[in-house]
Amino acid sequence: MSSSDIRTLELNMGPQHPSTHGVLRLVLQLNGEIIENTSPRVGYLHRGFEKMAENMSYQQFTPVTDRLSYVASMNNNLAYAIAVEKLLGVEDQIPERAQYIRVMVAELNRIASHLLWVATHALDIGAMTPYFYCFREREMIVDMFEEICGARLLYNYVRIGGVAKDITPRFMDLLKEFVKIFPDRHKEYNTLLTKNRIWLKRTKDVGVISAEDAINWGISGPALRGSGMEWDLRKKRPYAAYSELDFDVPNYPEGDVYARYLVRMDEMLQSIRILEQCIQKIPDGPVMMDDFKKITKPIKPPAGESYGYAENPTGELGFFIVSEGKNKPYRMKIRAPSFVHAYALPFMIKGSLLADVVAVIGSLDLVFGESDR
Amino acid sequence: MSIVIWGLIKFIVVLLLISLYVLFMTWFDRKVLARMQNRVGPKLIGFHGLWQPLADGVKSIWKEDVMPGKAYKFMFWLAPVITITTAFAISFVIPFAPPVKTASGVVFHFSVVNLNVAILFVFAFLGLSSYGVLYAGISSGGSKYPFLGAQREGAQMISYEIVLALSLLNPILMSQSLNFETIVAAQTHHLWYAFYQPVAFVTYLIAMFAVAGKVPFDMPEAESEICCGYFVEYSGLKMGLYPFAQYVVVLVLSAIMVLMFLGGWNGPFWDGGFVAGFIWYWIKVAFFIFLFTWIWGTLPRYRYDQLMDIGWKILLPITVLNIFWTGFALTIGLPFF
Amino acid sequence: MFFSDFRKGLMVTLKYLFKKPVTENYPYEKIKMPERARWLHNFKAEKCIMCKMCVNICPPKCITMDIGKNAEGKRKLNGYDMDIDRCIFCGFCVEVCPTKAIIMTDVHEFADSNRNNLHFNMQQLASVGEGKTEVEEEKKAV
């Protein structure tokens, strides 16, 4: 056999593969088990959200944003609300209590999303038990959300001009209990994963991306902080009540899967810190601006454009809205972090082994509701 | 003639016992894993879901048996048969209880055959059992995940059976026998071989997980990487035979561990007698079977190349050096040997 | 030293082996829904003023309202259908309703293998959560 007869093995990974987290399809060119080339195919979950936005009133689109990154609905709602508020020029008039509630639910949802991420990431690498431990804690957060908005996954809670309903005393009790017990549970995940030698071997020096490359690929969020960039929109471009709260931005310079894992693990503890401060600081007052209390009242922003963003668990989620002065946007562009990350994947896994692909996919926290929109 | 009849009776009894054990074992595995993960596990069918494995078995019998259109039909059928046959074959040389001297002076062995070369027999059939997996991989009609799984299994079996064999060579050298009962008898008079051979004990323990294909070395069937590997294309009863064989191998390897390193049916106290021996033996075996489940519930999975590194670069040199040390110690007659 | 990382991990799992499971015994023991639970709708035709706010706000457009005329020439509600198959349970229809004619109950077990059974008409919607709705209604009216 001459060398020209040696071909690579083309392997379709996904869209129904257990560790592509939804519907990512990767066409891998394998040399043995070494990845020679990858081409990601997205769009299996395309629902046309950007076009839908053009045919809906601004308020009607809020429940649709829930369906972007369905593990972090609160954060999606928040980013969208900020974008519309900027377009209206009312971002300074949001009631203080609403801002604090927004921070609380966003941070809780960040923990929930990261927990789900640790769970599935660990499952991809073969550790089964952390999955159930993480879901146990996530369940507490979901119960809290069910208490305040009635839904367990797609909340439709953070609205334009504030939040839908005030939080209940039972929510505060649940939150205080959660804040108390979570650090202990966090230690358990650390015992099972962080110092485990197999975990270290599987994640260290895998899927390395330098800070420069990460910026060039448009990577944001924990994946960027895992490359040593101290970039967090909550800190650099504060929104909601983040400017009044004290927290650190964890970042690790290695740029590998392990660094991204550590960033997310540390972020959960920082979120707990933010929640503790919120419990202390939350003021009384209304939770919704009077103008937006009636959701049937049409919003007619002046002609113009705005870009609203938020630091989502997956990365920077942005809504770019162009208005013509009507009650529907002329155009809405959604900047989904998962979409950007999915296309940096071939760069990160080139030359590594098949088993590393699942580790790297896991470390980027790809959510395909968001990527395919 | 009576030997043949006794052999047949033992054969059938062991076959039934092992089948029963596997059924119970699937329940045990699921229940223990569930409780470790804060879940309940099977609970609906029978007392705490004890009949769940039977229900699963009935379900897998009645399931539609799908075969890929391009599959090599004969090999596709043969692969699970090889796997299950070799797994049972190994279990026939394992003693299930200490031997008993009957009134007439004949020793009754609680194994189907009390071979003098039992360990060689075990290795021969462990080696053959990987053919079942390899055939499954290449007969699945060019399906790529089974192919990768079979590749992994082939490499893993080759590298870890060497380690397994070399670690068992130390007790064999010390007892000068390949018969399980003789080796156990050799440990009766002094300490168990695990205390003389801690290194071989640990290397066997690691190799045991790799040969059984259990976490953290379950590369051939890594469900999150290659979607269960070699038996992706199998369905129904044929697929059920692979985990079935794996459970038998787990039992056999645990039993060998106890027989070779932990004194078989000798206990640290309350020694002697058939009942005591029987209880001690099965306590120790059950611990190792539990250890498989326990580790499954705790550890992540190694990567394929890291598994090879551990096998060839760490365990193999260590076991070879250990054999030199054992030979040296035996030759000059060190007091503990 | 001596696989301390493995030992610590194994101890965590062993600890939970002897603890009570945290799961719910769901289909046998029903879960208590919080007060704000957003589940199947209950519709009271006598309260409806036919303002069509719910029809207009509904993002997936799953509500259809049939308004006719009665003998005296007044507007009359002939039908009020909800295609629960399309409903996304956002709760907007409940929020906009000025007379609380439509409310959300905690009835959440309405899965069906036939899609047509998920089209709820006025009579079906009126009987959703029978027995509980009055209490729910009181709560939500406050």
Side-chain angles (χ1 to χ4, degrees):
Chain A
M1 190 193 271
S2 69
S3 63
S4 63
D5 291 339
I6 300 173
R7 283 178 296 135
T8 51
L9 178 76
E10 190 176 294
L11 185 72
N12 270 305
M13 200 169 172
Q16 286 115 357
H17 189 278
S19 56
T20 49
H21 295 211
V23 287
L24 172 66
R25 176 170 161 225
L26 291 174
V27 183
L28 302 168
Q29 303 287 342
L30 293 179
N31 175 10
E33 283 209 15
I34 297 165
I35 316 285
E36 300 254 291
N37 214 346
T38 321
S39 62
R41 310 278 162 89
V42 299
Y44 287 89
L45 202 61
H46 178 64
R47 289 155 292 174
F49 283 173
E50 292 181 3
K51 195 70 190 168
M52 275 164 83
E54 293 167 22
N55 297 302
M56 278 181 168
S57 76
Y58 284 96
Q59 272 110 339
Q60 272 183 322
F61 193 66
T62 314
V64 180
T65 59
D66 284 338
R67 275 109 183 132
L68 279 170
S69 169
Y70 35 77
V71 288
S73 294
M74 290 289 189
N75 301 62
N76 300 339
N77 286 171
L78 180 54
Y80 175 69
I82 288 169
V84 180
E85 282 155 14
K86 271 190 184 165
L87 194 60
L88 291 160
V90 295
E91 68 263 42
D92 304 328
Q93 299 161 34
I94 312 296
E96 193 72 350
R97 186 174 172 81
Q99 295 283 37
Y100 271 94
I101 294 173
R102 281 175 171 195
V103 170
M104 279 157 73
V105 293
E107 289 308 315
L108 276 174
N109 212 333
R110 188 184 311 282
I111 297 175
S113 174
H114 281 351
L115 279 175
L116 191 108
W117 169 82
V118 176
T120 50
H121 187 37
L123 196 65
D124 286 349
I125 295 188
M128 196 181 359
T129 305
Y131 183 87
F132 294 95
Y133 293 170
C134 292
F135 263 68
R136 182 183 60 198
E137 273 73 72
R138 184 174 177 270
E139 193 65 22
M140 299 173 77
I141 299 175
V142 171
D143 280 345
M144 278 182 234
F145 286 153
E146 196 184 14
E147 172 66 26
I148 55 170
C149 66
R152 292 172 71 82
L153 189 67
L154 304 162
Y155 309 115
N156 187 16
Y157 181 68
V158 180
R159 300 273 174 83
I160 301 157
V163 295
K165 284 168 184 161
D166 201 354
I167 52 175
T168 60
R170 182 161 169 263
F171 171 80
M172 287 307 269
D173 294 344
L174 289 171
L175 177 63
K176 279 170 192 159
E177 195 198 332
F178 176 76
V179 167
K180 207 169 78 193
I181 68 166
F182 185 76
D184 286 340
R185 301 287 171 84
H186 190 271
K187 271 183 202 135
E188 261 168 27
Y189 317 146
N190 276 330
T191 320
L192 282 171
L193 298 175
T194 311
K195 286 171 194 127
N196 190 306
R197 70 185 66 199
I198 303 178
W199 184 262
L200 289 169
K201 272 202 148 182
R202 283 300 303 276
T203 54
K204 276 211 161 169
D205 300 323
V206 169
V208 182
I209 188 161
S210 68
E212 198 189 348
D213 285 332
I215 294 167
N216 289 343
W217 278 102
I219 289 174
S220 54
L224 181 62
R225 293 194 282 281
S227 295
M229 276 292 292
E230 200 187 331
W231 180 261
D232 191 322
L233 291 171
R234 292 175 293 169
K235 205 84 170 169
K236 302 280 180 190
R237 306 268 188 281
Y239 53 92
Y242 281 114
S243 51
E244 296 154 37
L245 298 165
D246 178 35
F247 60 97
D248 297 333
V249 180
N251 65 88
Y252 290 85
E254 290 86 3
D256 53 9
V257 173
Y258 189 62
R260 295 193 275 276
Y261 162 79
L262 285 179
V263 166
R264 287 199 173 87
M265 290 300 268
D266 289 358
E267 265 186 28
M268 284 197 250
L269 289 182
Q270 292 302 326
S271 295
I272 288 290
R273 232 177 106 192
I274 296 172
L275 286 169
E276 276 167 352
Q277 292 170 44
C278 283
I279 294 170
Q280 301 292 324
K281 283 186 177 175
I282 185 163
D284 285 333
V287 294
M288 187 67 136
M289 281 172 71
D290 291 334
D291 293 354
F292 301 104
K293 270 192 178 146
K294 274 202 161 57
I295 47 174
T296 40
K297 188 180 157 194
I299 297 178
K300 285 191 179 167
E305 51 190 53
S306 79
Y307 179 65
Y309 44 78
E311 182 71 29
N312 260 30
T314 39
E316 178 191 341
L317 179 72
F319 287 88
F320 181 73
I321 306 175
V322 181
S323 163
E324 277 190 326
K326 292 181 185 148
N327 66 342
K328 291 167 185 167
Y330 172 71
R331 171 82 170 94
M332 182 183 295
K333 165 84 179 86
I334 302 166
R335 187 227 184 256
S338 294
F339 179 74
V340 181
H341 293 177
Y343 277 88
L345 195 62
F347 177 78
M348 293 162 86
I349 59 177
K350 197 169 167 58
S352 52
L353 286 155
L354 184 60
D356 293 335
V357 177
V358 294
V360 177
I361 293 175
S363 78
L364 289 173
D365 195 5
L366 304 175
V367 182
F368 284 88
E370 183 182 69
S371 167
D372 300 349
R373 305 195 277 284
Chain B
M1 195 58 206
S2 72
I3 294 173
V4 176
I5 293 168
W6 267 116
L8 268 176
I9 291 172
K10 281 175 179 174
F11 174 81
I12 291 164
V13 167
V14 168
L15 208 64
L16 289 176
L17 273 180
I18 295 261
S19 307
L20 206 65
Y21 147 83
V22 171
L23 282 183
F24 177 73
M25 198 48 213
T26 51
W27 174 84
F28 175 80
D29 240 13
R30 289 171 65 178
K31 202 76 182 170
V32 167
L33 269 181
R35 292 307 293 269
M36 279 176 176
Q37 295 160 350
N38 266 322
R39 295 183 289 129
V40 185
K43 75 181 198 47
L44 288 183
I45 303 164
F47 176 72
H48 285 283
L50 206 53
W51 301 127
Q52 183 71 40
L54 278 181
D56 289 345
V58 170
K59 177 202 151 211
S60 80
I61 289 169
W62 291 107
K63 253 186 121 165
E64 188 192 355
D65 202 352
V66 185
M67 192 186 278
K70 280 190 195 166
Y72 306 107
K73 294 225 162 43
F74 178 65
M75 266 160 88
F76 197 77
W77 272 100
L78 192 64
V81 175
I82 292 177
T83 313
I84 197 76
T85 317
T86 49
F88 271 120
I90 309 166
S91 67
F92 293 149
V93 294
I94 303 294
F96 285 82
V100 187
K101 241 194 190 116
T102 47
S104 57
V106 184
V107 181
F108 185 83
H109 302 288
F110 282 88
S111 54
V112 177
V113 275
N114 180 33
L115 273 185
N116 279 332
V117 288
I119 297 168
L120 289 185
F121 183 86
V122 166
F123 281 121
F125 275 92
L126 267 182
L128 278 177
S129 74
S130 60
Y131 277 96
V133 174
L134 289 175
Y135 280 3
I138 48 179
S139 66
S140 292
S143 191
K144 284 160 190 169
Y145 287 112
F147 180 68
L148 285 172
Q151 261 186 337
R152 288 179 173 200
E153 168 82 10
Q156 184 170 332
M157 285 303 263
I158 289 168
S159 32
Y160 275 83
E161 260 169 28
I162 295 170
V163 178
L164 198 74
L166 289 181
S167 1
L168 285 188
L169 204 52
N170 298 303
I172 293 168
L173 277 175
M174 288 177 72
S175 63
Q176 313 252 319
S177 168
L178 288 166
N179 181 302
F180 286 125
E181 285 175 9
T182 322
I183 292 169
V184 172
Q187 295 176 67
T188 318
H189 309 302
H190 44 84
L191 281 173
W192 300 343
Y193 285 156
F195 296 104
Y196 293 110
Q197 298 287 355
V199 178
F201 176 75
V202 173
T203 49
Y204 179 84
L205 189 67
I206 296 169
M208 183 164 92
F209 281 88
V211 169
K214 282 281 198 178
V215 171
F217 301 114
D218 62 337
M219 269 105 253
E221 47 185 283
E223 61 267 34
S224 64
E225 290 158 24
I226 50 173
C227 332
C228 286
Y230 52 86
F231 58 84
V232 171
E233 301 291 351
Y234 282 87
S235 56
L237 197 60
K238 285 212 286 275
M239 195 204 86
L241 290 181
Y242 281 105
F244 196 104
Q246 199 182 34
Y247 279 121
V248 179
V249 170
V250 164
L251 171 74
V252 169
L253 289 172
S254 308
I256 294 175
M257 173 63 131
V258 172
L259 291 165
M260 300 294 277
F261 288 104
L262 294 176
W265 33 82
N266 301 314
F269 52 89
W270 186 43
D271 224 344
F274 176 77
V275 177
F278 183 81
I279 290 171
W280 276 122
Y281 178 57
W282 282 104
I283 284 177
K284 288 183 228 167
V285 175
F287 172 75
F288 281 101
I289 293 172
F290 171 72
L291 191 70
F292 273 99
T293 314
W294 191 9
I295 292 210
W296 186 15
T298 310
L299 297 184
R301 179 187 305 122
Y302 271 111
R303 207 169 62 201
Y304 171 62
D305 61 325
Q306 290 162 352
L307 168 94
M308 291 292 134
D309 282 356
I310 294 169
W312 292 104
K313 292 183 187 163
I314 302 172
L315 293 183
L316 189 65
I318 288 177
T319 41
V320 169
L321 284 177
N322 197 33
I323 287 167
F324 283 140
W325 157 247
T326 310
F328 172 73
L330 286 171
T331 315
I332 64 160
L334 277 186
F336 292 114
F337 280 77
Chain C
M1 202 51 205
F2 291 115
F3 300 100
S4 69
D5 50 338
F6 287 177
R7 274 190 289 120
K8 279 179 191 157
L10 288 169
M11 282 305 132
V12 171
T13 41
L14 192 67
K15 185 180 84 185
Y16 281 108
L17 180 59
F18 301 108
K19 282 198 175 172
K20 260 186 126 80
V22 295
T23 45
E24 308 262 357
N25 193 8
Y26 164 60
Y28 304 101
E29 289 162 26
K30 298 291 178 220
I31 299 163
K32 198 184 167 294
M33 290 280 163
E35 205 176 302
R36 290 177 182 176
R38 298 204 313 244
W39 286 107
L40 199 53
H41 306 72
N42 176 293
F43 178 72
K44 293 258 178 290
E46 62 273 15
K47 279 191 180 180
C48 182
I49 56 169
M50 291 160 274
C51 63
K52 276 199 158 184
M53 286 242 230
C54 50
V55 179
N56 290 333
I57 196 73
C58 183
K61 304 268 177 266
C62 71
I63 306 176
T64 44
M65 201 186 256
D66 182 10
I67 301 168
K69 289 221 161 98
N70 62 6
E72 295 146 31
K74 275 190 175 176
R75 289 165 85 232
K76 176 176 168 278
L77 191 65
N78 284 340
Y80 188 92
D81 293 354
M82 280 189 85
D83 187 357
I84 295 298
D85 198 16
R86 295 183 66 177
C87 179
I88 60 170
F89 297 93
C90 60
F92 274 167
C93 48
V94 178
E95 271 179 52
V96 298
C97 189
T99 57
K100 303 272 170 215
I102 186 161
I103 59 165
M104 272 175 150
T105 63
D106 60 355
V107 179
H108 56 279
E109 288 163 324
F110 49 88
D112 208 304
S113 51
N114 187 354
R115 204 167 258 219
N116 294 328
N117 294 347
L118 292 173
H119 284 261
F120 282 70
N121 61 24
M122 199 157 70
Q123 285 75 33
Q124 283 165 317
L125 282 174
S127 60
V128 165
E130 207 100 83
K132 298 182 204 168
T133 36
E134 293 304 317
V135 189
E136 292 287 323
E137 210 174 349
E138 292 297 323
K139 269 188 206 161
K140 286 185 180 174
V142 174

